Amino acid sequence: MKNRSEIVAAVDFGTTKISVLVAQIDDNGLTVLGVGTAECEEGLRKGMVIAIGKVVEAIRQARHDAEQMSGCIVSDVLVGVGGTHIVGVNNQSMVSPKAREITEMDVTRVLDMAKALSMPVDRQVITMLPKQYAVDEHDGIKDPVGMAGVRLDAEVHLVTAARSALDNLRRCCERSGLRVVQFVANPVASALAVLEDHERELGVVVLDLGGGTGDLTIWHGGRLVHTGVIGAGGELITRDIATGLRTPMSRAEEMKVKHGCAWGELVNASDQIEVPGVGGREDKALSRRVLTEIIEPRVIEIFSMVKREIQKTQYDDNLAGGLVLTGGASQMPGMVELGDEILNLPVRLGQPRGIQGLKSILESPALASVYGLAVFAALSWRADMPKSMLPVTDVQPSVGWRGFLKRIGW
Ligand SMILES: Nc1ncnc2c1ncn2[C@@H]1O[C@H](COP(=O)(O)OP(=O)(O)OP(=O)(O)O)[C@@H](O)[C@H]1O
Ligand SMILES: [Mg+2]
C-alpha cells in the first residue's frame, strides 16, 4: 500500500510577530519542514489587525523564510486566531437516531445542532470540540457509532470569535496571496502543542502569555471545558519599564529580555545592570532589583487576572495538573515561581512537545501556537482518536484539505 502523507501550512498572527510553519503529516506523525517568523510591531493590537499593510509585509517575509526552509510553496493555510474577542461556551444537543443503530450521520446531525448556537450576527463559531456523548442517558461515551439506542446526546465546547476580526485576517492572507482553509482558536492550538495527555485528564490550565494577550484554556477529564483570553501580555511589562526608567520602548524591551526577573526574591541586592543612556547621555548603572520592582507588580496583576478567569469556572478546585505556562513572555526568570505563589497551583514551563524536525528552533515557547496549529491539523491522523471526537471547524468549501500545498518538484 502506498504511504499516505499530507503537507500543511499554518499562520499565527501574534501581536509582536507573524509565524508561518510548514509540516508534513503521515502515519508516523508530524514532521516540521520549515518555519519563518517576522516581527510585526503595530500591525496587530491584542490579536486584532490595526494596520493591514504592516501585517501583509510581515506575512510575506515569514512565508518566504518558511518556503525557503521547507522547499514548499505555501498557498493554502490554517490560520490561528487570537485576541480578547475569543470566547468559549459549552453547549449540548440531542437527536433521535434514524434507526436502532447510531450512524455517523446521526453524530453529524447532533454536532450540527450543538453548533447552531444562538448568538449575535457579528460572531462566528471557529472551533468546536466534542466533549462526550450519551446514549439513552449513559454518558461518558467517546464513540457512539454502531451502538444501539433511541436517544443520542452530545456535549461540546465551542470557541467563538468576532466576524470582523476574522474578515480582516482573511483579507491580510488574501493580499499576501494565501487562501484561508480554516480558522483555529489560538488558545486551543497552544494547549495541543504543550500538554501531556495525563495533564488533560487530571485537570489543567494552559496560559500562552504573548506580547498582547494571555490565551487561556482549561481541560478536565481529557476535555476542553473553558476558553478565554485576557488582554494583557509582555508588552505591558515593557511599557512599565520604559515609563519607570524613562527609556524608549526598544531599550526597555532589551533590558527586560536580558536582565528582567519577575520575582524580586530571586535577585541579589548587589546585582548591577547597565541602563543605556538616551539622547547622547552616558550609560548608567542600576540595581537589578529596581528593574524587578517595576516588573513584579505587573506580573502579579496579570496572574491575578488569570486567577479571576479560572475562578469564573467551576474547575478551580479540580486542577491537579496545575498550570502550564507558555508563550514568549513565559521565558522571563521568576515567572514560574511567582505564578505558583499567586495562583496557588503548581506551574511548569510548557515548550512545544513531540517535535520531529527543526527541534532546536521549535523548542521556543513563543512558537507553541503556530506548532499547535499543525498538531491540530494532524489530529485526524491519530489512530487513537475516534472520528466523533475530532474537532469541527468551518473548512472553506472551495478549498478543502486535499491539494493543500504543492511541494516543489512533486
Ligand atoms: N526572554 C524573555 N524574557 C521576557 N520576555 C520575553 C522574552 N522573550 C520574549 N519575551 C516577550 O514575549 C512577548 C512575545 O511573546 P509571543 O511571541 O508569544 O507573542 P505574540 O504571539 O506575538 O503575541 P500574542 O500571542 O499576545 O498575540 C514579548 O512581549 C516579548 O518581550
Ligand atoms: Mg501568540
Side-chain angles (χ1 to χ4, degrees):
M1 198 177 94
K2 199 175 165 212
N3 286 342
R4 297 182 307 151
S5 80
E6 182 169 42
I7 292 178
V8 295
V11 184
D12 172 30
F13 289 86
T15 305
T16 63
K17 56 150 194 351
I18 307 280
S19 317
V20 174
L21 178 139
V22 181
Q24 176 165 337
I25 309 170
D26 57 30
D27 294 322
N28 298 320
L30 181 75
T31 307
V32 180
L33 305 174
V35 195
T37 298
E39 276 186 25
C40 182
E41 273 163 33
E42 292 161 28
L44 291 115
R45 187 173 298 145
K46 295 186 180 175
M48 301 280 273
V49 176
I50 54 165
I52 288 195
K54 287 188 178 171
V55 176
V56 168
E57 191 40 50
I59 297 177
R60 283 210 185 108
Q61 201 185 316
R63 172 191 180 176
H64 174 264
D65 293 353
E67 286 184 337
Q68 289 281 313
M69 205 186 281
S70 63
C72 293
I73 295 170
V74 176
S75 57
D76 298 341
V77 291
L78 199 75
V79 170
V81 185
T84 44
H85 60 99
I86 301 279
V87 180
V89 236
N90 293 307
N91 200 17
Q92 49 199 30
S93 60
M94 190 276 285
V95 294
S96 302
K98 292 258 194 255
R100 282 285 298 163
E101 187 180 300
I102 295 166
T103 61
E104 277 190 15
M105 188 65 94
D106 295 318
V107 172
T108 307
R109 274 198 307 135
V110 78
L111 291 179
D112 278 349
M113 280 181 67
K115 202 172 161 208
L117 198 66
S118 81
M119 59 186 166
V121 285
D122 60 345
R123 297 200 63 80
Q124 188 179 323
V125 172
I126 46 170
T127 310
M128 175 167 86
L129 270 86
K131 284 160 64 176
Q132 64 166 337
Y133 297 88
V135 177
D136 294 353
E137 292 175 14
H138 296 291
D139 60 6
I141 295 169
K142 286 188 174 169
D143 189 4
V145 176
M147 290 178 72
V150 292
R151 175 187 168 133
L152 174 66
D153 288 82
E155 273 184 42
V156 302
H157 183 79
L158 300 151
V159 188
T160 69
R163 230 173 250 280
S164 58
L166 302 178
D167 287 346
N168 281 324
L169 293 179
R170 186 180 288 110
R171 212 162 276 208
C172 290
C173 285
E174 282 167 1
R175 286 210 192 167
S176 322
L178 299 175
R179 282 193 304 179
V180 179
V181 177
Q182 58 179 223
F183 290 113
V184 178
N186 262 346
V188 176
S190 300
L192 292 177
V194 300
L195 279 187
E196 308 270 352
D197 287 349
H198 74 270
E199 290 174 318
R200 256 197 294 255
E201 284 295 330
L202 280 174
V204 70
V205 184
V206 180
L207 174 67
D208 180 329
L209 200 57
T213 59
D215 293 345
L216 188 140
T217 50
I218 302 180
W219 303 73
H220 195 269
R223 306 161 193 142
L224 174 61
V225 294
H226 180 80
T227 306
V229 177
I230 58 164
E235 277 185 350
L236 282 180
I237 302 172
T238 307
R239 201 170 298 278
D240 289 347
I241 298 171
T243 314
L245 299 180
R246 294 198 198 96
T247 189
M249 284 289 281
S250 57
R251 305 243 169 140
E253 174 73 20
E254 229 177 273
M255 284 170 64
K256 178 182 85 169
V257 170
K258 218 161 151 190
H259 306 291
C261 181
W263 201 6
E265 282 190 25
L266 302 177
V267 173
N268 267 332
S270 56
D271 283 0
Q272 296 280 312
I273 58 171
E274 288 279 300
V275 182
V278 186
R281 294 188 191 91
E282 280 190 7
D283 294 357
K284 57 179 183 201
L286 179 82
S287 160
R288 191 170 167 220
R289 270 271 170 91
V290 173
L291 181 66
T292 312
E293 278 162 15
I294 297 174
I295 297 171
E296 190 179 298
R298 181 61 84 178
V299 178
I300 292 177
E301 192 200 337
I302 294 174
F303 281 130
S304 304
M305 290 166 85
V306 171
K307 193 171 185 173
R308 284 197 293 277
E309 184 74 26
I310 299 171
Q311 283 168 342
K312 282 202 300 200
T313 71
Q314 78 257 36
Y315 292 95
D316 52 337
D317 285 334
N318 281 301
L319 298 167
L323 180 138
V324 180
L325 183 63
T326 190
S330 70
Q331 297 172 95
M332 186 185 287
M335 291 295 280
V336 168
E337 293 83 349
L338 190 54
D340 234 291
E341 181 80 9
I342 307 293
L343 297 164
N344 204 16
L345 282 173
V347 177
R348 76 161 176 95
L349 216 55
Q351 288 174 312
R353 53 181 285 277
I355 303 165
Q356 301 182 60
L358 308 180
K359 199 163 185 268
S360 56
I361 303 176
L362 274 160
E363 266 173 353
S364 164
L367 295 175
S369 51
V370 76
Y371 175 67
L373 292 170
V375 176
F376 184 96
L379 284 178
S380 61
W381 286 71
R382 277 178 63 162
D384 60 341
M385 193 87 167
K387 216 172 156 192
S388 42
M389 291 306 282
L390 287 175
V392 179
T393 50
D394 273 334
V395 176
Q396 310 294 306
S398 59
V399 183
W401 280 100
R402 293 286 146 212
F404 200 89
L405 272 180
K406 283 186 203 73
R407 192 162 194 173
I408 295 172
W410 278 19

